[in-house]
Amino acid sequence: MGTSVLSLRIDGELLDRLRDHAAKRGMSVQDYVVRTLIRDDFDERFQSAVEETERFYGVP
């Protein structure tokens, strides 16, 4: 299994929030994001967020 690079452009306020969450756990932002993505319930939480966003914007 190889490795890949994921580059993100995010809002400064969101980055500050991520830094706060990571710091509370003694982690870097990168490690915090990766751990969040590999959580067992990530797929369900992501799907729920997508559905909620679609309802908000009225996407059929």
Side-chain angles (χ1 to χ4, degrees):
M1 183 167 134
T3 62
S4 299
V5 174
L6 173 64
S7 177
L8 299 172
R9 182 180 303 262
I10 61 173
D11 177 82
E13 186 177 317
L14 176 57
L15 181 57
D16 290 340
R17 290 174 50 204
L18 287 170
R19 283 184 182 131
D20 289 342
H21 286 286
K24 288 177 186 176
R25 291 158 181 80
M27 304 169 76
S28 69
V29 171
Q30 292 85 351
D31 289 342
Y32 177 77
V33 170
V34 169
R35 279 193 67 175
T36 301
L37 291 173
I38 62 174
R39 283 181 46 177
D40 289 339
D41 64 342
F42 176 77
D43 289 337
E44 294 85 18
R45 294 173 60 218
F46 181 75
Q47 183 61 40
S48 176
V50 168
E51 291 169 359
E52 186 175 328
T53 301
E54 288 175 346
R55 279 193 302 274
F56 180 78
Y57 288 105
V59 177

